[in-house]
Amino acid sequence: MEVRVATSFGFCKGVRQAFALAERSFELGSPVYFLGELVHNHDAMETFRARGARIVENPEEIPSGAVVVTRSHGIPKDVWEGLLKKNATIVDTTCPKVKRVQVLARRLEEEGYHLVVFGKASHPEVQALLSVLKKQAQVVAAPEEWQKVFAVDHQGPFAVLAQTTFPSVLLQQFENWVREQGLLGVRIVHTLCDETEKRQRELEQNLEQNPGDVVIVVGGKHSANTRSLFVLAERRGVPVFWVENAAELRLLSLPKRVSFFVTSGTSTPDWVVQEVVAYLQSL
Ligand code: SF4
């Protein structure tokens, strides 16, 4: 049985940086509060829980003067301001690529564009992005949603931005649609993260070269970029399994006498991918 592994796996640069900052936060005080999960990966977050970190979703649960680690996806402006009022020591782990999109969005808004964000409205990155805007932006994810925004409510000029981890295959579909419709006054700004695009490209290339592979996507179930990998394989009609770790994979009944291609989200620790690969090789 052959097991191929994507060349880019494990943490991306942004997550590695966020982890390093979070590690150092334990030197600033105790207990350390994490406002939501630093990254969407259960195994990765366990390492902080084991060190006594308190992971809370609601900022009200954070006492005055606490050390607070933000998400790598960013936190909404009003939450940030609330923490400052509480004299919190904020460890900002927001990925620079996520911050860049916020700066771009503000600039486009000042230039008079109506913003449309491709992403999931409830995702922390999108929530943080919307919070820095003066006007309300529309959030879309599926063709029926964007068709509604641009066909019915076409009061451009529009600037289109995407959550950094949005599936590139869907954005490509949108670009084709804009071209087919001959829509004018739609400016598409490239904001996808190259780290996640690289992984999607590598998966596509592998599927072209090895069409018989069964794909194993490793990553947290709330991780948007892991979902993008899963969506890509699913849309290609190949057998694909999405697992968080080797323990979950062991519970599945996998096809026999096939070759596997293993890829992972950018918040999946290296050791988790290595355990998955070791299990597949042992079959
Ligand atoms: S996936 Fe990209 S945007 Fe997200 S943390 Fe990693 S480098 Fe930053």
Side-chain angles (χ1 to χ4, degrees):
M1 180 172 323
E2 200 174 349
V3 182
R4 271 180 280 277
V5 187
T7 53
S8 318
F9 73 88
F11 288 162
C12 62
K13 197 173 162 199
V15 171
R16 267 203 310 275
Q17 193 174 301
F19 256 69
L21 286 167
E23 294 274 354
R24 289 210 291 275
S25 70
F26 288 87
E27 294 160 17
L28 301 174
S30 173
V32 172
Y33 284 80
F34 281 62
L35 189 49
E37 296 196 320
L38 179 71
V39 290
H40 285 135
N41 188 283
H42 185 73
D43 293 278
M45 291 313 295
E46 269 312 306
T47 61
F48 295 118
R49 275 197 190 92
R51 293 180 65 181
R54 299 203 181 150
I55 299 158
V56 298
E57 289 298 329
N58 184 352
E60 299 295 318
E61 293 175 52
I62 298 174
S64 296
V67 176
V68 184
V69 179
T70 71
R71 294 171 182 272
S72 59
H73 317 98
I75 57 171
K77 202 169 149 216
D78 60 328
V79 175
W80 185 280
E81 286 165 357
L83 290 174
L84 286 179
K85 276 190 200 141
K86 281 186 179 182
N87 285 326
T89 303
I90 306 173
V91 180
D92 182 11
T93 72
T94 313
C95 175
K97 290 179 184 173
V98 169
K99 278 193 183 157
R100 176 186 158 262
V101 183
Q102 296 180 358
V103 172
L104 262 174
R106 274 202 304 263
R107 196 179 302 153
L108 288 163
E109 191 179 48
E110 278 163 19
E111 287 172 18
Y113 285 98
H114 175 79
L115 295 190
V116 180
V117 178
F118 275 57
K120 192 174 171 196
S122 60
H123 191 281
E125 182 186 327
V126 175
Q127 303 241 304
L129 174 61
L130 297 180
S131 78
V132 300
L133 300 174
K134 290 201 176 82
K135 289 189 232 143
Q136 210 184 346
Q138 269 145 314
V139 183
V140 296
E144 55 279 13
E145 291 169 352
W146 75 59
Q147 283 166 14
K148 211 165 134 201
V149 169
F150 291 98
V152 181
D153 185 26
H154 197 285
Q155 301 163 351
F158 285 100
V160 171
L161 303 166
Q163 184 181 327
T164 52
T165 47
F166 194 72
S168 59
V169 64
L170 280 179
L171 211 56
Q172 189 58 55
Q173 195 182 334
F174 170 71
E175 289 191 33
N176 294 341
W177 181 78
V178 168
R179 221 170 294 124
E180 278 160 26
Q181 302 291 313
L183 288 186
L184 300 171
V186 180
R187 180 170 167 190
I188 302 170
V189 184
H190 185 95
T191 55
L192 295 184
C193 169
D194 49 355
E195 292 247 10
T196 62
E197 276 197 296
K198 196 163 123 197
R199 292 180 194 213
Q200 291 174 36
R201 239 183 350 259
E202 193 180 2
L203 172 58
E204 269 190 294
Q205 279 163 2
N206 181 76
L207 294 178
E208 269 159 34
Q209 287 160 12
N210 306 288
D213 275 4
V214 170
V215 177
I216 307 289
V217 178
V218 192
K221 291 287 159 42
H222 297 294
S223 159
N225 76 85
T226 309
R227 172 173 293 283
S228 294
L229 293 167
F230 178 78
V231 167
L232 199 162
E234 204 182 30
R235 284 184 163 240
R236 289 295 202 93
V238 298
V240 51
F241 296 89
W242 177 356
V243 293
E244 293 219 5
N245 48 36
E248 211 179 296
L249 187 64
R250 278 192 199 97
L251 301 175
L252 300 177
S253 134
L254 294 171
K256 296 194 170 45
R257 285 182 287 282
V258 292
S259 50
F260 291 100
F261 180 72
V262 180
T263 183
S264 70
T266 55
S267 50
T268 313
D270 293 21
W271 79 83
V272 174
V273 181
Q274 281 154 0
E275 280 174 13
V276 164
V277 173
Y279 172 69
L280 291 171
Q281 284 168 339
S282 74
L283 292 177

